[in-house]
Amino acid sequence: MNAIGVDVGGTKIAAGVVTPEGRILREVRYPSSGPPEVLLENIVRAVREVGRGVDGVAAVCLAVPGLLVSAEDRVAFSPNLRTIENIPLREALEPEIGLPLTIENDANAAAWGEFRFGAGSEVDHLLCVTLGTGVGGGVISHGVLLRGAQGAGGELGHVTVHATGPRCACGNRGCLEAMCSGTAIARYARVVAARWPESALGRLAVRRRIIGEDVTELARRGDRAALSVLEEAGTWLGIGLAGFVNVFNPEVVAVGGAVSVAGELLLAPARREIALRARPPSRDLVRVKVATLGPESGVLGAAALARDPETGEYVFDSG
């Protein structure tokens, strides 16, 4: 049986019909901006449109950003999409969708996608970190997705790595998200551009506001200022990952999200910090690599987390 995976982000809703082999048969996108009622309406429209005329769709999984209270099917806190907070999502959406609906955290879905179909498909112990506007994470141990007591576990982006660091979108200081997200990279870039005004980064900053993609592009061209920005972000990423390696002892750490396109410019300093800070034997086992599914990881992982309401099993595992 097929399933529909829906990945809700800060700016867009992506919905896709997915086969058990991980093939996306059809995909649609809608905006996630607007008030709560518009967000819910667009989720329903996305599911109805993508599933229209497709046979064998058994269930839907909605992957949402933020701290999830699984028993109540609601997001308690979502720093990058406040309109989704405190809505009983399953109760509000399932009657309109007309299919069994599962609610899951978006980073957990991305991690599960990499585990089932991507960078972690050959291991049983995977840690996935997604670097975008924020930082998300998911942990799989012995082939089981770790969710915690309420479904809010695995929030790797909101682990403090710098006690007096910059303010995070969640309100805390020095979260991993505040130190190595796309937002953090843009912040570092503005500081470095002011320090090195003759660099390509500095000259660009005079013309317009720098974003994370600019940093990666200039770093690939060899601009020292841009390279130093990615070195800083990669170092903080590695500090966070070293702690996670010590706690979870994964075989693979997959780094995904838009920021991961920087590749080795970001991962090389991260690996250096893991080598310095993680303890054997964990540091000797783990491989750190770029996630392989790209922006489709959320849709693929969400579909693979859709459940059969009668058995409680994942649709893809229950035949």
Side-chain angles (χ1 to χ4, degrees):
M1 299 295 286
N2 302 323
I4 294 176
V6 185
D7 183 17
V8 179
T11 60
K12 59 137 179 65
I13 300 160
V17 179
V18 182
T19 71
E21 297 75 34
R23 186 163 62 96
I24 298 177
L25 300 179
R26 183 186 297 172
E27 190 170 12
V28 300
R29 292 173 185 264
Y30 279 82
S32 60
S33 55
E37 59 271 19
V38 172
L39 173 65
L40 296 180
E41 179 183 338
N42 282 346
I43 291 170
V44 172
R45 289 171 64 194
V47 173
R48 286 177 175 172
E49 181 179 340
V50 81
R52 189 176 297 125
V54 179
D55 295 329
V57 176
V60 180
C61 178
L62 180 70
V64 291
L67 299 173
L68 191 65
V69 182
S70 293
E72 300 172 15
D73 292 309
R74 68 178 176 88
V75 177
F77 179 60
S78 181
N80 297 311
L81 189 65
R82 303 303 297 268
T83 53
I84 206 168
E85 292 177 356
N86 295 313
I87 301 170
L89 292 166
R90 186 165 172 267
E91 178 184 321
L93 293 170
E94 192 173 63
E96 300 297 321
I97 289 170
L99 288 167
L101 179 65
T102 303
I103 311 298
E104 187 56 78
N105 172 268
D106 62 343
N108 279 350
W112 194 249
E114 292 292 339
F115 174 68
R116 289 295 299 260
F117 308 117
S121 60
E122 297 182 355
V123 301
D124 290 327
H125 303 267
L126 172 73
L127 190 146
C128 182
V129 176
T130 56
L131 307 177
T133 303
V135 173
V139 181
I140 290 139
S141 182
H142 295 282
V144 176
L145 179 62
L146 300 184
R147 295 184 176 87
Q150 297 171 296
E155 283 291 333
L156 305 182
H158 296 292
V159 172
T160 301
V161 293
H162 184 354
T164 58
R167 184 77 66 183
C168 180
C170 75
N172 191 15
R173 284 193 177 276
C175 292
L176 186 63
E177 178 171 309
M179 307 307 295
C180 67
S181 63
T183 305
I185 288 171
R187 185 187 69 243
Y188 293 145
R190 290 190 288 272
V191 173
V192 171
R195 189 182 305 149
W196 291 350
E198 298 305 314
S199 67
L201 188 69
R203 294 194 299 272
L204 179 61
V206 172
R207 301 199 302 272
R208 62 173 172 81
R209 187 176 180 84
I210 295 170
I211 59 175
E213 290 88 341
D214 297 325
V215 178
T216 298
E217 182 179 344
L218 292 175
R220 285 174 174 164
R221 296 179 188 175
D223 182 63
R224 288 180 55 209
L227 286 166
S228 74
V229 172
L230 292 181
E231 174 81 14
E232 177 79 2
T235 296
W236 285 109
L237 173 63
I239 290 170
L241 292 182
F244 304 149
V245 167
N246 284 338
V247 172
F248 297 113
N249 190 199
E251 296 165 89
V252 169
V253 172
V255 180
V259 175
S260 69
V261 299
E264 289 303 310
L265 296 175
L266 192 72
L267 295 190
R271 290 195 192 95
R272 182 193 65 218
E273 293 301 320
I274 292 171
L276 287 171
R277 299 172 185 275
R279 298 296 90 200
S282 299
R283 74 178 180 200
D284 304 321
L285 169 71
V286 69
R287 291 174 289 145
V288 180
K289 55 186 181 179
V290 175
T292 60
L293 300 181
E296 308 294 356
S297 62
V299 167
L300 288 166
L305 288 167
R307 290 181 180 271
D308 182 322
E310 294 184 3
T311 65
E313 295 181 349
Y314 297 132
V315 168
F316 286 173
D317 295 336
S318 60

